[in-house]
Amino acid sequence: MLVNDCISINRNILPMDDFKKVKKQVQEHNDHNGIGCTEFEILTCTAFMIFAMEQLELALVEVGLGGRLDATNVLTEDDVLVSGITKVGIDHESFLGSTISQIASEKAGIIKKGVDCVVDLTNHRDAMEAIRAKASEEGSPLHEVTSTSLTRRLIELSPLKGNYQEQNLAVALEIVSLLKEKHSFQISDEAIKRGIKNTTWPGRLQTIKEPKTGIELLIDGAHNESAAIELAGFLDGYREGKGIIFVVALTKGKSVENLLKHIVKPGDTIIPMEFLQPEGMPWVHSYSGEYVGQEAKKYAELEQTGISNTDELFAYLKGLKAQGDDRKVVACGSLYLCADILRAVNYAPTH
């Protein structure tokens, strides 16, 4: 879970040395010409340069924030075969707006003139109105999808957890269908099934075990209210009638309240933490564990404070288990916290 893991080719992460070599070329070009790119823009240019060098036939590009003004949106209608919009929630309000409609308008900025767009039809009606308006403005066919009997059969093949995965799969299947029908990609039904079976999503309702202590955790990157609601729905069947030990860290600017008010129940306790500064992302900062703890006290008892790293976390959890505490452990609030935990257990996705 390092900076180079943002680029994978045929499910293989680009080696760090290769990544740094290309990024250095991009940075030197930026400095020589006085362009003034942000760090994310440098990363985006690095990715596109690597795609070109590797002569990729097809690339799946995820926006960083929003869509309309995102660095990845430099792609034009000549570059994009199909765009996709999944569930729109309230997030990054200081950049994207404070309402679903405003945020959806920003996300709809990825829609290209005349290019097909697939959207999750279960979105809020205000989001759908904004997306429909943009598609109409661009003359782009809009494919509004929801789960079908086929989706429900195929989702049974997936190792991913969470009810929302069914809608995500519906969007993905429609995108694949368009690639086959309109762009002549040869993708067999068996290939689709293999893809579903082999899909991994680190940090999303993922169960991991720390090898030295044997501590098992469920980690989830839920960091906004809509994601917290989805996590809460999953936890209803995960609790087995017991409380949960939550390990919580959040990025500055996120709402601790909008996370905890949905997931915490009587009998739960909270371990407040902060995540390590992500490499190559100077714009990302963690709340202090002290701040998270102060906010968390409104919702549950604090299990322990002052834990500053994953070694201390696992040692403390081991002590709890030794005392007979058999509650499940859930780490959430930030994908950066999930990344810290995955590094601690030497996680590497299978290929």
Side-chain angles (χ1 to χ4, degrees):
M1 306 298 290
L2 300 172
V3 65
N4 60 316
D5 76 353
C6 62
I7 301 172
S8 64
I9 299 173
N10 293 333
R11 296 176 62 85
N12 294 309
I13 303 299
L14 190 75
M16 180 64 84
D17 288 345
D18 294 342
F19 176 86
K20 287 184 174 180
K21 181 179 179 180
V22 178
K23 186 184 177 188
K24 181 181 178 183
Q25 293 176 22
V26 173
Q27 186 69 60
E28 288 174 347
H29 182 77
N30 173 71
D31 296 342
H32 177 75
N33 292 282
I35 299 172
C37 287
T38 65
E39 182 64 24
F40 184 75
E41 288 167 344
I42 293 291
L43 288 174
T44 302
C45 291
T46 300
F48 289 159
M49 189 170 176
I50 290 168
F51 292 165
M53 292 169 60
E54 295 289 333
Q55 298 182 325
L56 296 194
E57 181 182 14
L58 182 68
L60 175 62
V61 179
E62 181 184 12
V63 302
L65 192 155
R68 182 176 66 92
L69 299 178
D70 192 81
T72 59
N73 207 30
V74 68
L75 298 172
T76 71
E77 59 267 24
D78 294 326
D79 307 310
V80 179
L81 301 180
V82 57
S83 56
I85 300 174
T86 53
K87 206 60 170 282
V88 178
I90 297 292
D91 200 8
H92 302 295
E93 296 95 316
S94 60
F95 295 98
L96 306 180
S98 58
T99 68
I100 284 288
S101 180
Q102 290 171 336
I103 294 170
S105 292
E106 291 297 318
K107 290 182 179 289
I110 66 169
I111 296 175
K112 306 301 179 187
K113 189 174 295 295
V115 176
D116 293 87
C117 177
V118 180
V119 61
D120 180 348
L121 184 55
T122 65
N123 267 297
H124 190 281
R125 63 178 180 275
D126 291 346
M128 291 303 303
E129 286 179 6
I131 294 166
R132 287 168 182 153
K134 179 61 175 177
S136 176
E137 175 187 332
E138 298 295 343
S140 301
L142 188 63
H143 305 261
E144 303 175 5
V145 299
T146 188
S147 181
T148 64
S149 58
L150 173 61
T151 314
R152 288 187 286 274
R153 288 198 305 273
L154 291 177
I155 197 65
E156 295 298 322
L157 302 174
S158 174
L160 302 182
K161 302 171 184 175
N163 293 332
Y164 54 87
Q165 298 296 355
E166 193 169 307
Q167 275 304 121
N168 287 343
L169 178 58
V171 171
L173 289 174
E174 182 65 17
I175 289 173
V176 170
S177 177
L178 289 167
L179 290 175
K180 292 169 64 176
E181 294 173 7
K182 292 196 171 184
H183 303 285
S184 302
F185 279 86
Q186 302 300 311
I187 308 171
S188 69
D189 291 345
E190 282 306 310
I192 292 171
K193 290 178 182 178
R194 283 198 307 272
I196 295 170
K197 288 179 182 178
N198 294 327
T199 296
T200 59
W201 196 348
R204 294 293 188 184
L205 294 176
Q206 180 187 10
T207 300
I208 59 98
K209 180 177 284 189
E210 203 281 322
K212 289 182 287 188
T213 61
I215 297 296
E216 187 173 279
L217 296 89
L218 178 76
I219 61 174
D220 190 80
H223 59 274
N224 59 31
E225 189 162 16
S226 58
I229 292 170
E230 295 290 353
L231 174 58
F234 177 81
L235 293 179
D236 285 343
Y238 184 74
R239 290 176 173 273
E240 298 179 344
K242 300 177 182 178
I244 286 177
I245 301 169
F246 284 103
V247 180
V248 178
L250 291 95
T251 302
K252 284 184 179 180
K254 302 294 183 182
S255 170
V256 180
E257 176 186 7
N258 285 345
L259 172 71
L260 298 184
K261 71 181 181 183
H262 294 290
I263 63 174
V264 173
K265 292 189 175 182
D268 295 343
T269 55
I270 296 172
I271 298 176
M273 281 190 66
E274 55 191 86
F275 54 78
L276 298 176
Q277 179 65 43
E279 180 184 356
M281 297 184 179
W283 63 89
V284 175
H285 299 282
S286 176
Y287 280 130
S288 69
E290 181 181 9
Y291 175 81
V292 174
Q294 287 296 325
E295 294 297 303
K297 283 195 295 187
K298 303 172 187 176
Y299 298 92
E301 295 293 324
L302 300 187
E303 184 63 50
Q304 175 70 349
T305 59
I307 292 179
S308 61
N309 57 58
T310 52
D311 285 342
E312 292 177 4
L313 172 66
F314 286 118
Y316 180 75
L317 291 173
K318 183 180 180 180
L320 287 181
K321 299 301 180 184
Q323 296 169 22
D325 192 332
D326 62 351
R327 291 176 296 168
K328 292 182 175 179
V329 183
V330 176
C332 61
S334 171
L335 284 168
Y336 302 113
L337 171 64
C338 294
D340 287 350
I341 293 172
L342 290 173
R343 278 194 295 270
V345 302
N346 296 317
Y347 171 81
T350 55
H351 299 300

PDB file of all heavy atoms in Angstrom, residues 248-263:
ATOM      1  N   VAL A 248     -10.623   3.862  15.080  1.00  0.00           N
ATOM      2  CA  VAL A 248     -11.108   4.954  14.232  1.00  0.00           C
ATOM      3  C   VAL A 248     -10.034   6.012  14.002  1.00  0.00           C
ATOM      4  O   VAL A 248      -9.393   6.488  14.946  1.00  0.00           O
ATOM      5  CB  VAL A 248     -12.353   5.614  14.869  1.00  0.00           C
ATOM      6  CG1 VAL A 248     -12.835   6.787  14.010  1.00  0.00           C
ATOM      7  CG2 VAL A 248     -13.476   4.598  15.048  1.00  0.00           C
ATOM      8  N   ALA A 249      -9.831   6.369  12.744  1.00  0.00           N
ATOM      9  CA  ALA A 249      -8.993   7.509  12.362  1.00  0.00           C
ATOM     10  C   ALA A 249      -9.651   8.164  11.156  1.00  0.00           C
ATOM     11  O   ALA A 249     -10.257   7.476  10.330  1.00  0.00           O
ATOM     12  CB  ALA A 249      -7.573   7.069  12.023  1.00  0.00           C
ATOM     13  N   LEU A 250      -9.552   9.477  11.053  1.00  0.00           N
ATOM     14  CA  LEU A 250     -10.171  10.194   9.952  1.00  0.00           C
ATOM     15  C   LEU A 250      -9.245  11.277   9.421  1.00  0.00           C
ATOM     16  O   LEU A 250      -8.414  11.828  10.155  1.00  0.00           O
ATOM     17  CB  LEU A 250     -11.491  10.853  10.362  1.00  0.00           C
ATOM     18  CG  LEU A 250     -12.672   9.945  10.664  1.00  0.00           C
ATOM     19  CD1 LEU A 250     -12.752   9.663  12.151  1.00  0.00           C
ATOM     20  CD2 LEU A 250     -13.976  10.578  10.185  1.00  0.00           C
ATOM     21  N   THR A 251      -9.435  11.596   8.145  1.00  0.00           N
ATOM     22  CA  THR A 251      -8.727  12.710   7.520  1.00  0.00           C
ATOM     23  C   THR A 251      -9.320  14.026   8.001  1.00  0.00           C
ATOM     24  O   THR A 251     -10.543  14.149   8.172  1.00  0.00           O
ATOM     25  CB  THR A 251      -8.869  12.622   5.991  1.00  0.00           C
ATOM     26  OG1 THR A 251      -8.359  11.361   5.548  1.00  0.00           O
ATOM     27  CG2 THR A 251      -8.111  13.749   5.305  1.00  0.00           C
ATOM     28  N   LYS A 252      -8.468  15.001   8.222  1.00  0.00           N
ATOM     29  CA  LYS A 252      -8.943  16.332   8.613  1.00  0.00           C
ATOM     30  C   LYS A 252      -9.957  16.840   7.601  1.00  0.00           C
ATOM     31  O   LYS A 252      -9.752  16.739   6.397  1.00  0.00           O
ATOM     32  CB  LYS A 252      -7.772  17.308   8.714  1.00  0.00           C
ATOM     33  CG  LYS A 252      -6.928  17.132   9.965  1.00  0.00           C
ATOM     34  CD  LYS A 252      -5.846  18.193  10.052  1.00  0.00           C
ATOM     35  CE  LYS A 252      -5.026  18.022  11.333  1.00  0.00           C
ATOM     36  NZ  LYS A 252      -3.961  19.043  11.436  1.00  0.00           N
ATOM     37  N   GLY A 253     -11.049  17.389   8.108  1.00  0.00           N
ATOM     38  CA  GLY A 253     -12.117  17.878   7.256  1.00  0.00           C
ATOM     39  C   GLY A 253     -13.312  16.944   7.214  1.00  0.00           C
ATOM     40  O   GLY A 253     -14.408  17.360   6.854  1.00  0.00           O
ATOM     41  N   LYS A 254     -13.090  15.668   7.584  1.00  0.00           N
ATOM     42  CA  LYS A 254     -14.196  14.722   7.625  1.00  0.00           C
ATOM     43  C   LYS A 254     -14.966  14.891   8.934  1.00  0.00           C
ATOM     44  O   LYS A 254     -14.449  15.404   9.927  1.00  0.00           O
ATOM     45  CB  LYS A 254     -13.689  13.283   7.515  1.00  0.00           C
ATOM     46  CG  LYS A 254     -12.888  12.995   6.255  1.00  0.00           C
ATOM     47  CD  LYS A 254     -13.749  13.086   5.011  1.00  0.00           C
ATOM     48  CE  LYS A 254     -12.946  12.723   3.764  1.00  0.00           C
ATOM     49  NZ  LYS A 254     -13.757  12.849   2.536  1.00  0.00           N
ATOM     50  N   SER A 255     -16.211  14.405   8.938  1.00  0.00           N
ATOM     51  CA  SER A 255     -17.053  14.524  10.121  1.00  0.00           C
ATOM     52  C   SER A 255     -17.015  13.239  10.942  1.00  0.00           C
ATOM     53  O   SER A 255     -17.473  12.195  10.476  1.00  0.00           O
ATOM     54  CB  SER A 255     -18.496  14.829   9.713  1.00  0.00           C
ATOM     55  OG  SER A 255     -19.374  14.722  10.821  1.00  0.00           O
ATOM     56  N   VAL A 256     -16.456  13.325  12.142  1.00  0.00           N
ATOM     57  CA  VAL A 256     -16.456  12.169  13.046  1.00  0.00           C
ATOM     58  C   VAL A 256     -17.899  11.794  13.388  1.00  0.00           C
ATOM     59  O   VAL A 256     -18.256  10.620  13.450  1.00  0.00           O
ATOM     60  CB  VAL A 256     -15.657  12.483  14.329  1.00  0.00           C
ATOM     61  CG1 VAL A 256     -15.669  11.281  15.271  1.00  0.00           C
ATOM     62  CG2 VAL A 256     -14.224  12.871  13.985  1.00  0.00           C
ATOM     63  N   GLU A 257     -18.726  12.809  13.576  1.00  0.00           N
ATOM     64  CA  GLU A 257     -20.134  12.574  13.927  1.00  0.00           C
ATOM     65  C   GLU A 257     -20.851  11.774  12.850  1.00  0.00           C
ATOM     66  O   GLU A 257     -21.573  10.806  13.150  1.00  0.00           O
ATOM     67  CB  GLU A 257     -20.856  13.909  14.133  1.00  0.00           C
ATOM     68  CG  GLU A 257     -22.349  13.754  14.402  1.00  0.00           C
ATOM     69  CD  GLU A 257     -23.084  15.081  14.469  1.00  0.00           C
ATOM     70  OE1 GLU A 257     -22.460  16.127  14.174  1.00  0.00           O
ATOM     71  OE2 GLU A 257     -24.279  15.069  14.804  1.00  0.00           O
ATOM     72  N   ASN A 258     -20.666  12.148  11.584  1.00  0.00           N
ATOM     73  CA  ASN A 258     -21.395  11.479  10.503  1.00  0.00           C
ATOM     74  C   ASN A 258     -20.958  10.036  10.295  1.00  0.00           C
ATOM     75  O   ASN A 258     -21.655   9.267   9.645  1.00  0.00           O
ATOM     76  CB  ASN A 258     -21.226  12.259   9.195  1.00  0.00           C
ATOM     77  CG  ASN A 258     -22.043  13.521   9.171  1.00  0.00           C
ATOM     78  OD1 ASN A 258     -22.950  13.705   9.997  1.00  0.00           O
ATOM     79  ND2 ASN A 258     -21.738  14.421   8.248  1.00  0.00           N
ATOM     80  N   LEU A 259     -19.800   9.680  10.835  1.00  0.00           N
ATOM     81  CA  LEU A 259     -19.387   8.279  10.820  1.00  0.00           C
ATOM     82  C   LEU A 259     -19.972   7.534  12.013  1.00  0.00           C
ATOM     83  O   LEU A 259     -20.678   6.537  11.855  1.00  0.00           O
ATOM     84  CB  LEU A 259     -17.855   8.182  10.845  1.00  0.00           C
ATOM     85  CG  LEU A 259     -17.273   6.781  11.022  1.00  0.00           C
ATOM     86  CD1 LEU A 259     -17.493   5.945   9.773  1.00  0.00           C
ATOM     87  CD2 LEU A 259     -15.787   6.849  11.365  1.00  0.00           C
ATOM     88  N   LEU A 260     -19.697   8.036  13.209  1.00  0.00           N
ATOM     89  CA  LEU A 260     -19.997   7.271  14.413  1.00  0.00           C
ATOM     90  C   LEU A 260     -21.486   7.196  14.737  1.00  0.00           C
ATOM     91  O   LEU A 260     -21.940   6.194  15.296  1.00  0.00           O
ATOM     92  CB  LEU A 260     -19.239   7.870  15.604  1.00  0.00           C
ATOM     93  CG  LEU A 260     -17.713   7.833  15.502  1.00  0.00           C
ATOM     94  CD1 LEU A 260     -17.076   8.362  16.784  1.00  0.00           C
ATOM     95  CD2 LEU A 260     -17.210   6.427  15.219  1.00  0.00           C
ATOM     96  N   LYS A 261     -22.266   8.202  14.388  1.00  0.00           N
ATOM     97  CA  LYS A 261     -23.682   8.175  14.755  1.00  0.00           C
ATOM     98  C   LYS A 261     -24.436   7.045  14.066  1.00  0.00           C
ATOM     99  O   LYS A 261     -25.499   6.631  14.526  1.00  0.00           O
ATOM    100  CB  LYS A 261     -24.341   9.516  14.449  1.00  0.00           C
ATOM    101  CG  LYS A 261     -24.527   9.830  12.973  1.00  0.00           C
ATOM    102  CD  LYS A 261     -25.178  11.190  12.799  1.00  0.00           C
ATOM    103  CE  LYS A 261     -25.417  11.535  11.340  1.00  0.00           C
ATOM    104  NZ  LYS A 261     -25.996  12.891  11.157  1.00  0.00           N
ATOM    105  N   HIS A 262     -23.874   6.517  12.981  1.00  0.00           N
ATOM    106  CA  HIS A 262     -24.540   5.429  12.259  1.00  0.00           C
ATOM    107  C   HIS A 262     -24.047   4.045  12.689  1.00  0.00           C
ATOM    108  O   HIS A 262     -24.799   3.078  12.621  1.00  0.00           O
ATOM    109  CB  HIS A 262     -24.323   5.590  10.756  1.00  0.00           C
ATOM    110  CG  HIS A 262     -24.987   6.792  10.179  1.00  0.00           C
ATOM    111  ND1 HIS A 262     -26.356   6.906  10.062  1.00  0.00           N
ATOM    112  CD2 HIS A 262     -24.458   7.951   9.689  1.00  0.00           C
ATOM    113  CE1 HIS A 262     -26.652   8.076   9.515  1.00  0.00           C
ATOM    114  NE2 HIS A 262     -25.523   8.723   9.288  1.00  0.00           N
ATOM    115  N   ILE A 263     -22.805   3.945  13.121  1.00  0.00           N
ATOM    116  CA  ILE A 263     -22.233   2.607  13.333  1.00  0.00           C
ATOM    117  C   ILE A 263     -22.156   2.186  14.791  1.00  0.00           C
ATOM    118  O   ILE A 263     -22.111   0.987  15.085  1.00  0.00           O
ATOM    119  CB  ILE A 263     -20.829   2.492  12.695  1.00  0.00           C
ATOM    120  CG1 ILE A 263     -19.839   3.450  13.347  1.00  0.00           C
ATOM    121  CG2 ILE A 263     -20.905   2.743  11.187  1.00  0.00           C
ATOM    122  CD1 ILE A 263     -18.406   3.284  12.848  1.00  0.00           C
TER     123      ILE A 263
END
